[in-house]
Amino acid sequence: MTDTTTTTAPADAKVKKMTAVEAINLALHDAMEADAKVLVLGEEVADPQEGGVMGVTKGLSTKFGEDRVKSTPISEQAIIGAAIGAAVGGYKPVAEIMLMNFVTVAMDMIINHAAKLRFMSGGQTGVPMVIRTMTGAGFSTGGQHSDYWEAWFAHSPGIKVVAPSNPDDAYGLMRAAIDDPDPVLFIENLPSYWTPAPVTKQIIPIGKARIAREGSDVTVIAHSLMVTHSLAVAEKLAGEGVSVEVIDLRTISPWDKETVLASVRKTGRAVVVHEAVKQFGIGAEIASVITEELWGTLKRPVERVGAAFSSVPFSKPLETAFAPQPDTIAAAIKAALA
C-alpha cells in the first residue's frame, strides 16, 4: 500500500498526492491494520473480482484475507443485513453498495434496523457500520445510476451522512466514520474519483465543516463536487471584484450550523448548492435555518441551487442541463448580490 505522512507529522512535512480512490483505499487499509474488527463486504470487493468496480478496495483482500474482505452476492439487502449483524456482534463493517440508487433496495434494513436499533434498545445496542456508495451525474449513466439521495438519510434520525469533496477529506472522514459508534452513510462522487490532491492522513471529525475559501460578500454552502464548482466560480468572480466565501459541509447530517451561521452573519448573503434535485433537498433545510436564525441580518433572501426536478437524463446535453453547473452557481451568487 502507498505510504503517506502520518497524523503526527509536522504541518510543513511533505504529503503525497493521490486520488480519492487511492485515499479511500488507504483509509480502509489503515483502519483494518489498526483494528482486526474492521471488515469490508460488498459486490466484487475482493481481489479475485478486481477489488471493486472502481478498484477502491483493490489489494485489501490479498493483505487481510477474504474472511475480512468478502465479495458478496448481488443482493443489497443481504449486504446491509450481514453488516448490521456483524456490527451488533462487535465488528466494524464497511459495506459497499455499488451505486447510491441501489441503496433503495436496502432501505428497510438501513432505516428500520441500522438507524433505529440504538433507539429501540434503549441505547444498549449500537450499530457501528459504514455504508460506502458512489453517485454523480456526468457520465451518461442514466436515471437509475446517478441520483443524490442524501436528503432521505439526513431526514432519518440515527444515521450520519458524509460527502467528501476531495481526497484528503475522503481519507479523514472514512477513518472517522469507521470509528463512529453509529451507522454512517459515506457518499463518494464518481466524477471526482480521479482528481489527485495532497492527503495528510488527518482524521476529520464528523459534523465539522471546512471553510474552503474565505470571502466577505456572499457565502456559498456546498458539498461533494459542488464544492469544486463553487471554488472555480469564486476564483472567477474574484476577478470581477466579488469576494465569495465557500464552505464545504463535509458532513450533511449533522451539519455544522455554527460555522455556516458565522459565515452568513459576516457576509449577509447565502447560496446553498447541491447536485440533488432542488425540491425538498437539504438546501431547503439549511436555507430555513439561516433565515430563522439570522432574520434581520440577511441582506437578501437565501438562494438555492439544485438539479432539475427530473430523473437524471441519459442524453449528455440534457444531463448537463439537468445538473448544476458553474454558470448556474454564478447566476445565483449574482442574484444574492443584487
Side-chain angles (χ1 to χ4, degrees), residues 136-137 148 163-165 189 191-192 222-231 275 324 329:
Y148 266 87
S165 68
N189 178 255
S192 301
H223 65 275
S224 194
L225 180 63
M226 295 300 108
V227 175
T228 303
H229 285 351
S230 298
L231 287 170
E275 187 173 322
I329 300 169

Side-chain angles (χ1 to χ4, degrees), residues 206-230:
I206 290 176
K208 184 62 179 174
R210 172 178 71 102
I211 299 177
R213 181 188 178 102
E214 293 189 351
S216 57
D217 293 331
V218 59
T219 300
V220 175
I221 304 112
H223 65 275
S224 194
L225 180 63
M226 295 300 108
V227 175
T228 303
H229 285 351
S230 298

Side-chain angles (χ1 to χ4, degrees), residues 209-337:
R210 172 178 71 102
I211 299 177
R213 181 188 178 102
E214 293 189 351
S216 57
D217 293 331
V218 59
T219 300
V220 175
I221 304 112
H223 65 275
S224 194
L225 180 63
M226 295 300 108
V227 175
T228 303
H229 285 351
S230 298
L231 287 170
V233 171
E235 181 66 24
K236 182 178 180 180
L237 291 179
E240 302 175 19
V242 178
S243 178
V244 180
E245 182 147 296
V246 179
I247 295 180
D248 181 350
L249 283 175
R250 287 173 163 169
T251 303
I252 296 166
S253 179
W255 64 284
D256 189 350
K257 183 170 69 172
E258 291 74 21
T259 295
V260 170
L261 292 178
S263 176
V264 179
R265 190 176 289 112
K266 176 180 69 174
T267 65
R269 300 176 175 90
V271 178
V272 190
V273 185
H274 53 69
E275 187 173 322
V277 297
K278 181 178 176 181
Q279 283 88 336
F280 305 100
I282 65 164
E285 169 66 14
I286 295 172
S288 177
V289 170
I290 292 172
T291 302
E292 291 167 1
E293 296 283 341
L294 300 180
W295 183 252
T297 300
L298 289 172
K299 299 172 183 176
R300 290 282 299 173
V302 179
E303 295 285 335
R304 290 186 293 141
V305 178
F309 195 62
S310 165
S311 216
V312 183
F314 174 78
S315 159
K316 184 60 180 176
L318 291 177
E319 183 184 41
T320 300
F322 159 85
Q325 303 296 332
D327 58 350
T328 321
I329 300 169
I333 291 172
K334 290 177 179 178
L337 291 167

